[in-house]
Amino acid sequence: MNNLKLFKRQTVNELSTFYSFLIGFIIAIIIGSIILLIQDKNPIDTFSLMLRLSVGSIKSLSSSLNKAIPLILAGLGISIINSVKLWNIGAEGQIFLGAIAVNFIYINTQFNSPSFHILVLLLAGFVGGSVCILIPAITKVVFGVNEIITTLLTNYIVFGVTIYLINGPWKDPKSLNFPAAAYVGEEVFLPTIFGKLSFGFLICILFTFLAHYLKNKSVFGFEMRIAGGSAMTAVYAGINAKQKAFIAMLIGGGFAGLAGAIELLSQTHRVSTGISQGFGYTAIIVAAITGMRPFGIFLVGSLFGALSIGGSVIQTIGVSTYIADIIQASTLFGALIIQFFFNYQIKRVDDD
Amino acid sequence: MKKYILEVKNISKSFGNVKALEDVNFYLQKGKIHGLLGENGAGKSSLMNILSGIYQPEKGSIFINDIKQKSLDPESASELGIGMVHQEFRLIESFSIKDNLTLSKANIYKDNFKEAYEKYCEIFSLSVSPEKLIAQLSVGEKQKIEIMKLIFKNSNIMLLDEPTAVLTPQETDQLRISLERLSEEDEKTIVLISHKLKEIRDFTEKVFVMKNGKMVAEDLSTVNVTDDNLVELMMGRIQKSIIDKSNKTGDTKLSVESIEYIDKVSNYKILEDINLEIKAGEILGIAGVSGNGQVELANIISGIESDYSGKIIINNKDVSQKGVKSRKKLNLSYIPENRLGVGLAPGVSVLDNSIVRDYFKTRLGPHLSRSKTETYLESLIKKFSIKAPNSKAEISTLSGGNMQKLLMGRELVSNPEVIIASQPTRGLDVNAVEAIHTLLVDQRDMGSAILLISEDLDELFKLSNRLHVMYEGKIVKSLDIDTADINNVGLAMAGVIE
Ligand SMILES: Nc1ncnc2c1ncn2[C@@H]1O[C@H](COP(=O)(O)OP(=O)(O)O)[C@@H](O)[C@H]1O
Ligand SMILES: [Mg+2]
């Protein structure tokens, strides 16, 4: 009897993740085109309009990159946590708690130097993200509770806290019926680099290098990989695997929290439910597509930022914004399938 | 009257290149207890798995009650009354005893569970409520439930794969009484796999011996065969020392003083009063069937296990309270028996795995420069002739021999003063074994003190200067290699100590 069997390839092309992404993206564009055709829309027109409105001018390019900031930062956080083979599904909550921490510090402190003030607030965002993942990190390390579930649950809790704050103690009377906290003062707005592009983008570049260093060049990154590969090998090597997992989770949560801080200080300027539009979830897709590589996350995050800007403007010609979501999700789907064929080989074998 | 309830003729089975079974014959008489003896890897479990329909043989035939069976799958084997207790428990931990016993659709005690349970509890000297969860039972109790499960699904042929490996001597004795009653009162046909001659002798009427996938002795009457005979069948004839052992030895590098270690879960004494000393330039062999405390001893000496009593002295420094890293700094190396999973981390690159021992030393760290680590790996690859596709390849894509060479190279490259090598050649092909042996002997000549833990008497006699035999957590015999008698060592490994 003949059978098809899977064999793991001994060597995998170095650029395989990039090729998978590319092919996945092409597949996604084809799927998007089919859906547009069904709706009697011309795909080429639609996509070129999207392209023009997302990167065609300084103004649109800067909006796209602004959108990319939270995707990249949260994606980097997810990739750091994945070094110990753990999944952070809680970036969305961490973004919110980052923003909440910023507002909390803003309300309760006073600084004379605005730049120092901004620095403190950014730090508060980072700490807020870390605090958000603290309980999942503790339950993971101490009791072995599955972090996918606990980090997911924290999203709901933090969202609830946000709703409470902006309807209760922090509710801005001036915002009338729209629940939101009061605006922060202009002195703590993040400056822009060009067009509307936030200073946050520079922070993003800096943190991409930082994540790359941490994951790939530092002793800590090595220890995380060993701990993630085999807990027994970690013990054997004298590496405290639980400690590494704990620290990785706090750092990763902090990255997402920082994203929340930047959103608040450069986009929304106040705490509201609009702090994140699912960035924490899209960031999972971004991180997964790139195989958890920081520079890849930077590039794909930027692309996805442009896609969602493009997606939101094509509403004007009567196309649903969901086309952008469909393309993002299909890219991941296609890329994962293609990556599978890079990693494995299918052979015909005699049955045993 | 038919002679055999089950008969196996010329069965063969391979896994890849490994011939697990070659033309094996095996036959069982109704109502008797049969022993199946053989070293680790001899093929005992594979044979049992074929009888219970889990593996399909490539060749050969199986008769049950003189009827030829075309092909057995787990379901049909179970219907024919064949049941197996595996080396690892297969109970559902979160279910009660009752649920586990009645899970099978072949359950014959649907209506009278209570009486049946009481009857067999008496036979197994078990006194726990059937509502208790499996997770709350001791290892010995779980073992009893495993065997009882076979009775409940009406298995008349009971295949027990090393059931005593997890039991204390008292529990083993109890098991013997239970099995004897099952064979007499219920006419159960039983196969008992074991490494221990005493158990084979105490439990069984008939004995079969396997070696390297072949059945080297069939249907011997246990009362007529001698221990010497069985050991020789099981281990084969062994050539004595071929390596020059006249090298110079130096000061004592490792001493281990009165180590005691008690397993937290079972409260069972795993190691008792272990003392040993190794000098520079000396290889001390530890012979023993695996599972007699060797892994625990190696873990204690290397610093992985810290909850023991006794003293470990490396190079005149008492390191009993020290962790893994400080022992490594005193230049101790450990080649663990579990290559992939302990020594090497699966899912991680060759490069990362190559620096597991030395990464925290300034030579490579603290920034872990890529070029330094790459150079380090390249030197290992060259020095130890390792074949690896590239530094980023995942470690488990390497062959077993190359994995072991990488692990050995990593542990030996800094010329360690003390080396613990646990089963360093298990599962490797002849060429790789030879390469690993050469590495160890070279290291000995460079003045390392080496503790060699192995089950392979060939290897131990070839490499060691002295030999200790471990059995049930104790050193039961210490010999000088020149005067050591191979049969005596084999007997001591199987628990026969005169
Ligand atoms: N599922 C399997 N895949 C590959 N090799 C196997 C498998 N099961 C057993 N082997 C190999 O077959 C040989 C016999 O193994 P086994 O039957 O488990 O021996 P024993 O039970 O006597 O220790 C060993 O070399 C083992 O590595
Ligand atoms: Mg076995």
Side-chain angles (χ1 to χ4, degrees), chain A residues 10-11 14 213 217 219 222-223 225 230 232-233 236 238-239, chain B residues 324 334 341-342 344 352 359 366-368 389 392 397 410-411:
Chain A
Q10 209 180 19
T11 48
E14 295 241 329
Y213 179 81
K217 301 274 176 205
V219 169
F222 165 77
E223 292 176 328
R225 285 194 296 281
S230 159
M232 287 302 300
T233 308
Y236 163 84
I239 295 169
Chain B
V324 171
Y334 177 24
V342 178
L344 303 166
D352 280 341
Y359 77 93
H367 292 299
L368 216 65
K392 282 189 193 144
T397 60
R410 181 188 84 195
E411 296 299 319

PDB file of all heavy atoms in Angstrom, chain A residues 10-11 14 213 217 219 222-223 225 230 232-233 236 238-239, chain B residues 324 334 341-342 344 352 359 366-368 389 392 397 410-411:
ATOM      1  N   GLN A  10      15.494  19.081   6.458  1.00  0.00           N
ATOM      2  CA  GLN A  10      16.666  19.325   7.286  1.00  0.00           C
ATOM      3  C   GLN A  10      17.080  20.791   7.220  1.00  0.00           C
ATOM      4  O   GLN A  10      17.389  21.405   8.225  1.00  0.00           O
ATOM      5  CB  GLN A  10      17.807  18.424   6.865  1.00  0.00           C
ATOM      6  CG  GLN A  10      18.690  18.135   8.053  1.00  0.00           C
ATOM      7  CD  GLN A  10      19.846  17.248   7.719  1.00  0.00           C
ATOM      8  OE1 GLN A  10      20.226  17.094   6.569  1.00  0.00           O
ATOM      9  NE2 GLN A  10      20.434  16.660   8.732  1.00  0.00           N
ATOM     10  N   THR A  11      17.072  21.328   6.009  1.00  0.00           N
ATOM     11  CA  THR A  11      17.402  22.750   5.920  1.00  0.00           C
ATOM     12  C   THR A  11      16.200  23.489   5.359  1.00  0.00           C
ATOM     13  O   THR A  11      15.558  23.022   4.424  1.00  0.00           O
ATOM     14  CB  THR A  11      18.589  23.000   4.987  1.00  0.00           C
ATOM     15  OG1 THR A  11      18.352  22.287   3.785  1.00  0.00           O
ATOM     16  CG2 THR A  11      19.882  22.543   5.614  1.00  0.00           C
ATOM     17  N   GLU A  14      16.443  30.296   4.277  1.00  0.00           N
ATOM     18  CA  GLU A  14      16.476  31.400   5.252  1.00  0.00           C
ATOM     19  C   GLU A  14      15.362  32.410   5.021  1.00  0.00           C
ATOM     20  O   GLU A  14      14.851  33.011   5.951  1.00  0.00           O
ATOM     21  CB  GLU A  14      17.814  32.144   5.127  1.00  0.00           C
ATOM     22  CG  GLU A  14      19.010  31.322   5.499  1.00  0.00           C
ATOM     23  CD  GLU A  14      19.750  31.941   6.657  1.00  0.00           C
ATOM     24  OE1 GLU A  14      19.724  33.184   6.763  1.00  0.00           O
ATOM     25  OE2 GLU A  14      20.321  31.184   7.452  1.00  0.00           O
ATOM     26  N   TYR A 213      17.729  43.102  19.521  1.00  0.00           N
ATOM     27  CA  TYR A 213      18.897  42.849  20.353  1.00  0.00           C
ATOM     28  C   TYR A 213      18.560  41.853  21.456  1.00  0.00           C
ATOM     29  O   TYR A 213      19.251  40.867  21.682  1.00  0.00           O
ATOM     30  CB  TYR A 213      19.441  44.151  20.965  1.00  0.00           C
ATOM     31  CG  TYR A 213      20.632  43.885  21.850  1.00  0.00           C
ATOM     32  CD1 TYR A 213      21.904  43.711  21.289  1.00  0.00           C
ATOM     33  CD2 TYR A 213      20.494  43.731  23.229  1.00  0.00           C
ATOM     34  CE1 TYR A 213      22.985  43.407  22.075  1.00  0.00           C
ATOM     35  CE2 TYR A 213      21.584  43.427  24.023  1.00  0.00           C
ATOM     36  CZ  TYR A 213      22.822  43.268  23.444  1.00  0.00           C
ATOM     37  OH  TYR A 213      23.895  42.954  24.223  1.00  0.00           O
ATOM     38  N   LYS A 217      20.497  38.849  20.170  1.00  0.00           N
ATOM     39  CA  LYS A 217      21.905  39.142  20.419  1.00  0.00           C
ATOM     40  C   LYS A 217      22.289  39.041  21.889  1.00  0.00           C
ATOM     41  O   LYS A 217      23.465  39.107  22.215  1.00  0.00           O
ATOM     42  CB  LYS A 217      22.236  40.568  19.947  1.00  0.00           C
ATOM     43  CG  LYS A 217      21.990  40.822  18.490  1.00  0.00           C
ATOM     44  CD  LYS A 217      23.189  40.408  17.669  1.00  0.00           C
ATOM     45  CE  LYS A 217      22.888  40.571  16.185  1.00  0.00           C
ATOM     46  NZ  LYS A 217      23.697  39.711  15.353  1.00  0.00           N
ATOM     47  N   VAL A 219      22.368  37.521  25.937  1.00  0.00           N
ATOM     48  CA  VAL A 219      22.390  36.292  26.709  1.00  0.00           C
ATOM     49  C   VAL A 219      20.972  35.946  27.159  1.00  0.00           C
ATOM     50  O   VAL A 219      20.559  34.789  27.128  1.00  0.00           O
ATOM     51  CB  VAL A 219      23.319  36.439  27.931  1.00  0.00           C
ATOM     52  CG1 VAL A 219      23.143  35.273  28.887  1.00  0.00           C
ATOM     53  CG2 VAL A 219      24.762  36.523  27.468  1.00  0.00           C
ATOM     54  N   PHE A 222      19.092  34.173  24.478  1.00  0.00           N
ATOM     55  CA  PHE A 222      19.531  32.776  24.407  1.00  0.00           C
ATOM     56  C   PHE A 222      18.869  31.952  25.507  1.00  0.00           C
ATOM     57  O   PHE A 222      18.339  30.864  25.268  1.00  0.00           O
ATOM     58  CB  PHE A 222      21.056  32.719  24.531  1.00  0.00           C
ATOM     59  CG  PHE A 222      21.580  31.356  24.833  1.00  0.00           C
ATOM     60  CD1 PHE A 222      21.671  30.391  23.848  1.00  0.00           C
ATOM     61  CD2 PHE A 222      21.976  31.026  26.128  1.00  0.00           C
ATOM     62  CE1 PHE A 222      22.141  29.124  24.142  1.00  0.00           C
ATOM     63  CE2 PHE A 222      22.445  29.770  26.430  1.00  0.00           C
ATOM     64  CZ  PHE A 222      22.531  28.805  25.433  1.00  0.00           C
ATOM     65  N   GLU A 223      18.890  32.502  26.714  1.00  0.00           N
ATOM     66  CA  GLU A 223      18.291  31.773  27.833  1.00  0.00           C
ATOM     67  C   GLU A 223      16.797  31.565  27.618  1.00  0.00           C
ATOM     68  O   GLU A 223      16.244  30.515  27.962  1.00  0.00           O
ATOM     69  CB  GLU A 223      18.550  32.524  29.147  1.00  0.00           C
ATOM     70  CG  GLU A 223      20.027  32.515  29.526  1.00  0.00           C
ATOM     71  CD  GLU A 223      20.333  33.339  30.771  1.00  0.00           C
ATOM     72  OE1 GLU A 223      19.636  34.361  31.002  1.00  0.00           O
ATOM     73  OE2 GLU A 223      21.250  32.980  31.508  1.00  0.00           O
ATOM     74  N   ARG A 225      15.356  31.214  24.696  1.00  0.00           N
ATOM     75  CA  ARG A 225      15.179  30.169  23.681  1.00  0.00           C
ATOM     76  C   ARG A 225      15.350  28.787  24.290  1.00  0.00           C
ATOM     77  O   ARG A 225      14.580  27.871  24.002  1.00  0.00           O
ATOM     78  CB  ARG A 225      16.169  30.368  22.523  1.00  0.00           C
ATOM     79  CG  ARG A 225      15.808  31.486  21.592  1.00  0.00           C
ATOM     80  CD  ARG A 225      16.605  31.423  20.304  1.00  0.00           C
ATOM     81  NE  ARG A 225      18.037  31.613  20.490  1.00  0.00           N
ATOM     82  CZ  ARG A 225      18.637  32.787  20.666  1.00  0.00           C
ATOM     83  NH1 ARG A 225      17.919  33.894  20.691  1.00  0.00           N
ATOM     84  NH2 ARG A 225      19.942  32.865  20.823  1.00  0.00           N
ATOM     85  N   SER A 230      13.164  23.513  25.980  1.00  0.00           N
ATOM     86  CA  SER A 230      12.997  22.386  26.884  1.00  0.00           C
ATOM     87  C   SER A 230      13.295  22.831  28.311  1.00  0.00           C
ATOM     88  O   SER A 230      14.397  23.278  28.612  1.00  0.00           O
ATOM     89  CB  SER A 230      13.940  21.248  26.479  1.00  0.00           C
ATOM     90  OG  SER A 230      14.148  20.383  27.571  1.00  0.00           O
ATOM     91  N   MET A 232      13.706  20.999  30.815  1.00  0.00           N
ATOM     92  CA  MET A 232      14.738  20.135  31.387  1.00  0.00           C
ATOM     93  C   MET A 232      16.142  20.590  30.984  1.00  0.00           C
ATOM     94  O   MET A 232      17.072  20.552  31.771  1.00  0.00           O
ATOM     95  CB  MET A 232      14.535  18.685  30.925  1.00  0.00           C
ATOM     96  CG  MET A 232      13.370  17.978  31.576  1.00  0.00           C
ATOM     97  SD  MET A 232      13.533  17.946  33.361  1.00  0.00           S
ATOM     98  CE  MET A 232      15.078  17.033  33.503  1.00  0.00           C
ATOM     99  N   THR A 233      16.280  21.011  29.726  1.00  0.00           N
ATOM    100  CA  THR A 233      17.590  21.501  29.292  1.00  0.00           C
ATOM    101  C   THR A 233      17.949  22.763  30.056  1.00  0.00           C
ATOM    102  O   THR A 233      19.107  22.976  30.409  1.00  0.00           O
ATOM    103  CB  THR A 233      17.597  21.769  27.773  1.00  0.00           C
ATOM    104  OG1 THR A 233      17.126  20.610  27.111  1.00  0.00           O
ATOM    105  CG2 THR A 233      18.986  22.118  27.284  1.00  0.00           C
ATOM    106  N   TYR A 236      19.237  21.794  33.346  1.00  0.00           N
ATOM    107  CA  TYR A 236      20.550  21.204  33.112  1.00  0.00           C
ATOM    108  C   TYR A 236      21.609  22.280  32.889  1.00  0.00           C
ATOM    109  O   TYR A 236      22.742  22.161  33.340  1.00  0.00           O
ATOM    110  CB  TYR A 236      20.448  20.275  31.904  1.00  0.00           C
ATOM    111  CG  TYR A 236      21.745  19.882  31.271  1.00  0.00           C
ATOM    112  CD1 TYR A 236      22.492  18.816  31.772  1.00  0.00           C
ATOM    113  CD2 TYR A 236      22.224  20.554  30.151  1.00  0.00           C
ATOM    114  CE1 TYR A 236      23.681  18.440  31.184  1.00  0.00           C
ATOM    115  CE2 TYR A 236      23.410  20.182  29.555  1.00  0.00           C
ATOM    116  CZ  TYR A 236      24.131  19.130  30.071  1.00  0.00           C
ATOM    117  OH  TYR A 236      25.301  18.759  29.485  1.00  0.00           O
ATOM    118  N   GLY A 238      21.491  25.260  34.070  1.00  0.00           N
ATOM    119  CA  GLY A 238      21.522  26.219  35.169  1.00  0.00           C
ATOM    120  C   GLY A 238      20.740  27.482  34.857  1.00  0.00           C
ATOM    121  O   GLY A 238      21.030  28.546  35.392  1.00  0.00           O
ATOM    122  N   ILE A 239      19.759  27.374  33.963  1.00  0.00           N
ATOM    123  CA  ILE A 239      18.930  28.526  33.607  1.00  0.00           C
ATOM    124  C   ILE A 239      17.606  28.420  34.353  1.00  0.00           C
ATOM    125  O   ILE A 239      16.963  27.375  34.320  1.00  0.00           O
ATOM    126  CB  ILE A 239      18.652  28.549  32.086  1.00  0.00           C
ATOM    127  CG1 ILE A 239      19.957  28.756  31.313  1.00  0.00           C
ATOM    128  CG2 ILE A 239      17.641  29.631  31.730  1.00  0.00           C
ATOM    129  CD1 ILE A 239      19.834  28.521  29.826  1.00  0.00           C
TER     130      ILE A 239
ATOM    131  N   VAL B 324      24.312  24.215  39.572  1.00  0.00           N
ATOM    132  CA  VAL B 324      24.867  23.715  38.319  1.00  0.00           C
ATOM    133  C   VAL B 324      26.022  24.577  37.812  1.00  0.00           C
ATOM    134  O   VAL B 324      27.085  24.076  37.450  1.00  0.00           O
ATOM    135  CB  VAL B 324      23.753  23.664  37.251  1.00  0.00           C
ATOM    136  CG1 VAL B 324      24.321  23.361  35.886  1.00  0.00           C
ATOM    137  CG2 VAL B 324      22.695  22.647  37.637  1.00  0.00           C
ATOM    138  N   TYR B 334      28.738  17.242  32.192  1.00  0.00           N
ATOM    139  CA  TYR B 334      27.732  16.188  32.353  1.00  0.00           C
ATOM    140  C   TYR B 334      27.125  15.875  30.994  1.00  0.00           C
ATOM    141  O   TYR B 334      26.568  16.747  30.340  1.00  0.00           O
ATOM    142  CB  TYR B 334      26.660  16.672  33.344  1.00  0.00           C
ATOM    143  CG  TYR B 334      25.497  15.736  33.570  1.00  0.00           C
ATOM    144  CD1 TYR B 334      25.595  14.354  33.353  1.00  0.00           C
ATOM    145  CD2 TYR B 334      24.280  16.226  34.031  1.00  0.00           C
ATOM    146  CE1 TYR B 334      24.520  13.512  33.584  1.00  0.00           C
ATOM    147  CE2 TYR B 334      23.197  15.389  34.267  1.00  0.00           C
ATOM    148  CZ  TYR B 334      23.319  14.038  34.030  1.00  0.00           C
ATOM    149  OH  TYR B 334      22.241  13.213  34.255  1.00  0.00           O
ATOM    150  N   GLY B 341      16.269  16.666  24.841  1.00  0.00           N
ATOM    151  CA  GLY B 341      15.264  16.889  25.892  1.00  0.00           C
ATOM    152  C   GLY B 341      15.949  17.377  27.156  1.00  0.00           C
ATOM    153  O   GLY B 341      15.458  18.252  27.821  1.00  0.00           O
ATOM    154  N   VAL B 342      17.126  16.796  27.460  1.00  0.00           N
ATOM    155  CA  VAL B 342      17.901  17.307  28.599  1.00  0.00           C
ATOM    156  C   VAL B 342      19.194  17.929  28.097  1.00  0.00           C
ATOM    157  O   VAL B 342      19.426  19.119  28.237  1.00  0.00           O
ATOM    158  CB  VAL B 342      18.187  16.204  29.636  1.00  0.00           C
ATOM    159  CG1 VAL B 342      19.033  16.776  30.775  1.00  0.00           C
ATOM    160  CG2 VAL B 342      16.898  15.631  30.181  1.00  0.00           C
ATOM    161  N   LEU B 344      20.228  18.445  25.037  1.00  0.00           N
ATOM    162  CA  LEU B 344      19.984  19.359  23.930  1.00  0.00           C
ATOM    163  C   LEU B 344      18.516  19.770  23.962  1.00  0.00           C
ATOM    164  O   LEU B 344      17.653  18.953  24.291  1.00  0.00           O
ATOM    165  CB  LEU B 344      20.294  18.670  22.596  1.00  0.00           C
ATOM    166  CG  LEU B 344      21.712  18.111  22.444  1.00  0.00           C
ATOM    167  CD1 LEU B 344      21.795  17.164  21.260  1.00  0.00           C
ATOM    168  CD2 LEU B 344      22.720  19.234  22.281  1.00  0.00           C
ATOM    169  N   ASP B 352      22.609  27.493  19.102  1.00  0.00           N
ATOM    170  CA  ASP B 352      22.229  27.706  20.509  1.00  0.00           C
ATOM    171  C   ASP B 352      22.588  26.493  21.356  1.00  0.00           C
ATOM    172  O   ASP B 352      23.090  26.618  22.469  1.00  0.00           O
ATOM    173  CB  ASP B 352      20.721  27.961  20.624  1.00  0.00           C
ATOM    174  CG  ASP B 352      20.376  29.399  20.262  1.00  0.00           C
ATOM    175  OD1 ASP B 352      21.300  30.237  20.290  1.00  0.00           O
ATOM    176  OD2 ASP B 352      19.212  29.669  19.956  1.00  0.00           O
ATOM    177  N   TYR B 359      28.002  29.423  27.668  1.00  0.00           N
ATOM    178  CA  TYR B 359      27.514  30.733  27.242  1.00  0.00           C
ATOM    179  C   TYR B 359      27.737  31.834  28.275  1.00  0.00           C
ATOM    180  O   TYR B 359      27.888  32.990  27.948  1.00  0.00           O
ATOM    181  CB  TYR B 359      26.021  30.656  26.893  1.00  0.00           C
ATOM    182  CG  TYR B 359      25.106  30.624  28.088  1.00  0.00           C
ATOM    183  CD1 TYR B 359      24.572  31.794  28.603  1.00  0.00           C
ATOM    184  CD2 TYR B 359      24.799  29.423  28.723  1.00  0.00           C
ATOM    185  CE1 TYR B 359      23.749  31.775  29.715  1.00  0.00           C
ATOM    186  CE2 TYR B 359      23.985  29.399  29.834  1.00  0.00           C
ATOM    187  CZ  TYR B 359      23.467  30.576  30.334  1.00  0.00           C
ATOM    188  OH  TYR B 359      22.681  30.563  31.435  1.00  0.00           O
ATOM    189  N   PRO B 366      29.152  38.767  27.644  1.00  0.00           N
ATOM    190  CA  PRO B 366      27.738  38.744  28.018  1.00  0.00           C
ATOM    191  C   PRO B 366      26.826  39.201  26.881  1.00  0.00           C
ATOM    192  O   PRO B 366      25.622  39.110  27.003  1.00  0.00           O
ATOM    193  CB  PRO B 366      27.685  39.746  29.175  1.00  0.00           C
ATOM    194  CG  PRO B 366      28.783  40.713  28.864  1.00  0.00           C
ATOM    195  CD  PRO B 366      29.832  39.970  28.113  1.00  0.00           C
ATOM    196  N   HIS B 367      27.426  39.677  25.786  1.00  0.00           N
ATOM    197  CA  HIS B 367      26.545  40.148  24.705  1.00  0.00           C
ATOM    198  C   HIS B 367      26.210  39.053  23.729  1.00  0.00           C
ATOM    199  O   HIS B 367      25.401  39.227  22.849  1.00  0.00           O
ATOM    200  CB  HIS B 367      27.194  41.311  23.967  1.00  0.00           C
ATOM    201  CG  HIS B 367      27.275  42.528  24.820  1.00  0.00           C
ATOM    202  ND1 HIS B 367      26.162  43.138  25.312  1.00  0.00           N
ATOM    203  CD2 HIS B 367      28.340  43.197  25.301  1.00  0.00           C
ATOM    204  CE1 HIS B 367      26.528  44.160  26.062  1.00  0.00           C
ATOM    205  NE2 HIS B 367      27.842  44.205  26.087  1.00  0.00           N
ATOM    206  N   LEU B 368      26.873  37.900  23.904  1.00  0.00           N
ATOM    207  CA  LEU B 368      26.624  36.767  23.039  1.00  0.00           C
ATOM    208  C   LEU B 368      26.802  37.161  21.583  1.00  0.00           C
ATOM    209  O   LEU B 368      25.868  37.122  20.792  1.00  0.00           O
ATOM    210  CB  LEU B 368      25.204  36.242  23.264  1.00  0.00           C
ATOM    211  CG  LEU B 368      25.111  34.736  23.150  1.00  0.00           C
ATOM    212  CD1 LEU B 368      25.927  34.094  24.268  1.00  0.00           C
ATOM    213  CD2 LEU B 368      23.690  34.280  23.250  1.00  0.00           C
ATOM    214  N   PRO B 389      23.924  20.522   8.885  1.00  0.00           N
ATOM    215  CA  PRO B 389      23.654  21.271   7.656  1.00  0.00           C
ATOM    216  C   PRO B 389      24.092  22.730   7.769  1.00  0.00           C
ATOM    217  O   PRO B 389      24.823  23.229   6.927  1.00  0.00           O
ATOM    218  CB  PRO B 389      22.147  21.150   7.471  1.00  0.00           C
ATOM    219  CG  PRO B 389      21.597  20.622   8.754  1.00  0.00           C
ATOM    220  CD  PRO B 389      22.704  19.913   9.441  1.00  0.00           C
ATOM    221  N   LYS B 392      22.003  27.297  11.823  1.00  0.00           N
ATOM    222  CA  LYS B 392      20.635  27.662  12.190  1.00  0.00           C
ATOM    223  C   LYS B 392      19.685  26.477  12.166  1.00  0.00           C
ATOM    224  O   LYS B 392      18.531  26.599  12.587  1.00  0.00           O
ATOM    225  CB  LYS B 392      20.117  28.737  11.242  1.00  0.00           C
ATOM    226  CG  LYS B 392      20.662  30.110  11.564  1.00  0.00           C
ATOM    227  CD  LYS B 392      19.947  31.161  10.731  1.00  0.00           C
ATOM    228  CE  LYS B 392      20.674  32.480  10.799  1.00  0.00           C
ATOM    229  NZ  LYS B 392      20.618  33.194   9.527  1.00  0.00           N
ATOM    230  N   THR B 397      17.181  17.828  13.532  1.00  0.00           N
ATOM    231  CA  THR B 397      17.396  17.384  12.162  1.00  0.00           C
ATOM    232  C   THR B 397      18.740  16.674  12.024  1.00  0.00           C
ATOM    233  O   THR B 397      19.031  16.099  10.984  1.00  0.00           O
ATOM    234  CB  THR B 397      17.342  18.560  11.156  1.00  0.00           C
ATOM    235  OG1 THR B 397      18.371  19.493  11.497  1.00  0.00           O
ATOM    236  CG2 THR B 397      16.009  19.270  11.214  1.00  0.00           C
ATOM    237  N   ARG B 410      30.717  19.745  23.001  1.00  0.00           N
ATOM    238  CA  ARG B 410      30.411  20.906  23.832  1.00  0.00           C
ATOM    239  C   ARG B 410      30.876  20.686  25.271  1.00  0.00           C
ATOM    240  O   ARG B 410      31.405  21.586  25.918  1.00  0.00           O
ATOM    241  CB  ARG B 410      28.904  21.110  23.792  1.00  0.00           C
ATOM    242  CG  ARG B 410      28.398  22.273  24.563  1.00  0.00           C
ATOM    243  CD  ARG B 410      26.894  22.234  24.581  1.00  0.00           C
ATOM    244  NE  ARG B 410      26.389  21.374  25.630  1.00  0.00           N
ATOM    245  CZ  ARG B 410      25.125  20.929  25.704  1.00  0.00           C
ATOM    246  NH1 ARG B 410      24.274  21.223  24.752  1.00  0.00           N
ATOM    247  NH2 ARG B 410      24.748  20.175  26.706  1.00  0.00           N
ATOM    248  N   GLU B 411      30.690  19.485  25.773  1.00  0.00           N
ATOM    249  CA  GLU B 411      31.038  19.207  27.163  1.00  0.00           C
ATOM    250  C   GLU B 411      32.525  18.936  27.350  1.00  0.00           C
ATOM    251  O   GLU B 411      33.046  19.051  28.444  1.00  0.00           O
ATOM    252  CB  GLU B 411      30.217  18.026  27.687  1.00  0.00           C
ATOM    253  CG  GLU B 411      28.716  18.286  27.737  1.00  0.00           C
ATOM    254  CD  GLU B 411      28.330  19.441  28.657  1.00  0.00           C
ATOM    255  OE1 GLU B 411      28.907  19.547  29.755  1.00  0.00           O
ATOM    256  OE2 GLU B 411      27.467  20.252  28.262  1.00  0.00           O
TER     257      GLU B 411
END
